Amino acid sequence: MYTINLNEKNDRLVELIEKVMQGEEVTILCDDGSSFELLPTKNKPFRPTFGSAKGLIQISDNFDEPIEGFEAYQP
């Protein structure tokens, strides 16, 4: 883990981000004793959003017509 004082972080922000990108955890300490952590995030698997397939699916004109050979199963 890498620790830095809050006063130094503005001058070294790019360096801190690079450390996090390499997998390190960075802790920023404030004068009042509080602290913040910069942590690397994991790539989340793609999750499609509602409506994202709009226009990609087509239904044929004969969709509702009876299927040949299935007459015995129709009401």
Side-chain angles (χ1 to χ4, degrees):
M1 179 169 40
Y2 186 80
T3 304
I4 188 169
N5 192 309
L6 180 62
N7 297 331
E8 298 177 48
K9 68 114 179 110
N10 285 336
D11 299 333
R12 301 174 64 190
L13 184 59
V14 173
E15 177 189 346
L16 296 176
I17 291 172
E18 287 174 356
K19 288 188 179 296
V20 172
M21 288 174 58
Q22 294 169 359
E24 273 194 63
E25 297 178 4
V26 174
T27 302
I28 299 174
L29 301 174
C30 298
D31 293 334
D32 64 359
S34 61
S35 63
F36 303 91
E37 289 185 340
L38 302 177
L39 306 171
T41 59
K42 296 178 183 175
N43 291 337
K44 297 179 182 177
F46 174 73
R47 187 170 185 180
T49 57
F50 182 77
S52 63
K54 184 177 181 177
L56 299 177
I57 299 171
Q58 297 179 0
I59 298 176
S60 64
D61 294 334
N62 65 350
F63 179 79
D64 290 329
E65 293 180 12
I67 300 173
E68 192 174 313
F70 282 85
E71 292 83 11
Y73 299 103
Q74 296 177 349

Tab-separated table of all heavy atoms in Angstrom, residues 3-9 27-37:
chain	number	residue	atom	x	y	z
A	3	THR	N	1.122	5.396	0.728
A	3	THR	CA	0.463	6.444	1.504
A	3	THR	C	1.070	7.795	1.155
A	3	THR	O	2.286	7.921	0.989
A	3	THR	CB	0.638	6.183	3.013
A	3	THR	OG1	0.136	4.886	3.310
A	3	THR	CG2	-0.121	7.211	3.836
A	4	ILE	N	0.212	8.803	1.062
A	4	ILE	CA	0.660	10.153	0.707
A	4	ILE	C	-0.156	11.174	1.502
A	4	ILE	O	-1.305	10.929	1.846
A	4	ILE	CB	0.526	10.390	-0.813
A	4	ILE	CG1	1.176	11.704	-1.227
A	4	ILE	CG2	-0.904	10.342	-1.246
A	4	ILE	CD1	1.322	11.868	-2.719
A	5	ASN	N	0.437	12.329	1.801
A	5	ASN	CA	-0.257	13.402	2.494
A	5	ASN	C	-1.119	14.172	1.503
A	5	ASN	O	-0.755	14.308	0.343
A	5	ASN	CB	0.776	14.340	3.136
A	5	ASN	CG	0.140	15.305	4.105
A	5	ASN	OD1	-0.827	15.970	3.781
A	5	ASN	ND2	0.696	15.380	5.296
A	6	LEU	N	-2.261	14.671	1.931
A	6	LEU	CA	-3.198	15.369	1.055
A	6	LEU	C	-2.549	16.568	0.370
A	6	LEU	O	-2.837	16.858	-0.788
A	6	LEU	CB	-4.436	15.821	1.841
A	6	LEU	CG	-5.509	16.559	1.063
A	6	LEU	CD1	-6.065	15.651	-0.033
A	6	LEU	CD2	-6.623	17.025	1.961
A	7	ASN	N	-1.653	17.252	1.035
A	7	ASN	CA	-1.002	18.425	0.452
A	7	ASN	C	-0.154	18.065	-0.765
A	7	ASN	O	0.068	18.882	-1.647
A	7	ASN	CB	-0.131	19.133	1.491
A	7	ASN	CG	-0.957	19.667	2.642
A	7	ASN	OD1	-2.133	19.998	2.468
A	7	ASN	ND2	-0.375	19.719	3.822
A	8	GLU	N	0.343	16.847	-0.831
A	8	GLU	CA	1.206	16.419	-1.924
A	8	GLU	C	0.433	15.889	-3.123
A	8	GLU	O	0.974	15.801	-4.215
A	8	GLU	CB	2.137	15.303	-1.444
A	8	GLU	CG	3.068	15.687	-0.334
A	8	GLU	CD	3.882	14.490	0.118
A	8	GLU	OE1	4.436	13.804	-0.749
A	8	GLU	OE2	3.946	14.242	1.330
A	9	LYS	N	-0.815	15.540	-2.956
A	9	LYS	CA	-1.535	14.796	-3.993
A	9	LYS	C	-1.743	15.575	-5.282
A	9	LYS	O	-1.731	14.993	-6.347
A	9	LYS	CB	-2.876	14.269	-3.476
A	9	LYS	CG	-3.895	15.332	-3.173
A	9	LYS	CD	-5.059	15.239	-4.093
A	9	LYS	CE	-6.066	16.294	-3.740
A	9	LYS	NZ	-6.204	17.338	-4.671
A	27	THR	N	-3.419	5.403	-0.284
A	27	THR	CA	-4.134	6.064	0.799
A	27	THR	C	-3.702	7.513	0.865
A	27	THR	O	-2.511	7.819	0.871
A	27	THR	CB	-3.840	5.382	2.151
A	27	THR	OG1	-4.217	4.010	2.055
A	27	THR	CG2	-4.628	6.037	3.271
A	28	ILE	N	-4.671	8.430	0.915
A	28	ILE	CA	-4.402	9.867	1.024
A	28	ILE	C	-4.796	10.289	2.429
A	28	ILE	O	-5.945	10.113	2.844
A	28	ILE	CB	-5.198	10.661	-0.029
A	28	ILE	CG1	-4.791	10.208	-1.436
A	28	ILE	CG2	-4.964	12.163	0.156
A	28	ILE	CD1	-5.605	10.830	-2.540
A	29	LEU	N	-3.828	10.844	3.180
A	29	LEU	CA	-4.063	11.262	4.551
A	29	LEU	C	-4.325	12.760	4.625
A	29	LEU	O	-3.617	13.542	4.000
A	29	LEU	CB	-2.850	10.922	5.419
A	29	LEU	CG	-2.450	9.451	5.480
A	29	LEU	CD1	-1.152	9.292	6.269
A	29	LEU	CD2	-3.553	8.637	6.110
A	30	CYS	N	-5.319	13.150	5.402
A	30	CYS	CA	-5.636	14.569	5.612
A	30	CYS	C	-5.051	15.037	6.935
A	30	CYS	O	-4.706	14.234	7.797
A	30	CYS	CB	-7.146	14.768	5.626
A	30	CYS	SG	-7.940	14.319	4.089
A	31	ASP	N	-4.944	16.358	7.090
A	31	ASP	CA	-4.386	16.931	8.311
A	31	ASP	C	-5.236	16.613	9.536
A	31	ASP	O	-4.723	16.526	10.647
A	31	ASP	CB	-4.234	18.451	8.170
A	31	ASP	CG	-3.182	18.821	7.134
A	31	ASP	OD1	-2.262	18.003	6.900
A	31	ASP	OD2	-3.279	19.924	6.558
A	32	ASP	N	-6.545	16.455	9.360
A	32	ASP	CA	-7.432	16.179	10.492
A	32	ASP	C	-7.459	14.703	10.893
A	32	ASP	O	-8.203	14.296	11.765
A	32	ASP	CB	-8.856	16.660	10.200
A	32	ASP	CG	-9.514	15.921	9.046
A	32	ASP	OD1	-8.875	15.031	8.442
A	32	ASP	OD2	-10.688	16.232	8.749
A	33	GLY	N	-6.656	13.876	10.242
A	33	GLY	CA	-6.569	12.464	10.584
A	33	GLY	C	-7.429	11.552	9.727
A	33	GLY	O	-7.277	10.341	9.778
A	34	SER	N	-8.329	12.131	8.936
A	34	SER	CA	-9.142	11.295	8.056
A	34	SER	C	-8.308	10.854	6.858
A	34	SER	O	-7.260	11.422	6.567
A	34	SER	CB	-10.393	12.046	7.590
A	34	SER	OG	-10.040	13.192	6.863
A	35	SER	N	-8.768	9.819	6.198
A	35	SER	CA	-8.017	9.311	5.056
A	35	SER	C	-8.967	8.823	3.975
A	35	SER	O	-10.139	8.554	4.231
A	35	SER	CB	-7.089	8.177	5.490
A	35	SER	OG	-7.845	7.102	5.980
A	36	PHE	N	-8.441	8.715	2.770
A	36	PHE	CA	-9.196	8.242	1.614
A	36	PHE	C	-8.341	7.208	0.900
A	36	PHE	O	-7.124	7.327	0.880
A	36	PHE	CB	-9.500	9.406	0.648
A	36	PHE	CG	-10.242	10.531	1.296
A	36	PHE	CD1	-9.555	11.579	1.884
A	36	PHE	CD2	-11.620	10.530	1.321
A	36	PHE	CE1	-10.231	12.620	2.483
A	36	PHE	CE2	-12.304	11.570	1.918
A	36	PHE	CZ	-11.620	12.623	2.504
A	37	GLU	N	-8.995	6.232	0.306
A	37	GLU	CA	-8.264	5.203	-0.422
A	37	GLU	C	-8.631	5.229	-1.889
A	37	GLU	O	-9.806	5.365	-2.246
A	37	GLU	CB	-8.567	3.820	0.150
A	37	GLU	CG	-7.956	3.581	1.504
A	37	GLU	CD	-8.179	2.152	1.958
A	37	GLU	OE1	-9.075	1.468	1.449
A	37	GLU	OE2	-7.415	1.732	2.839
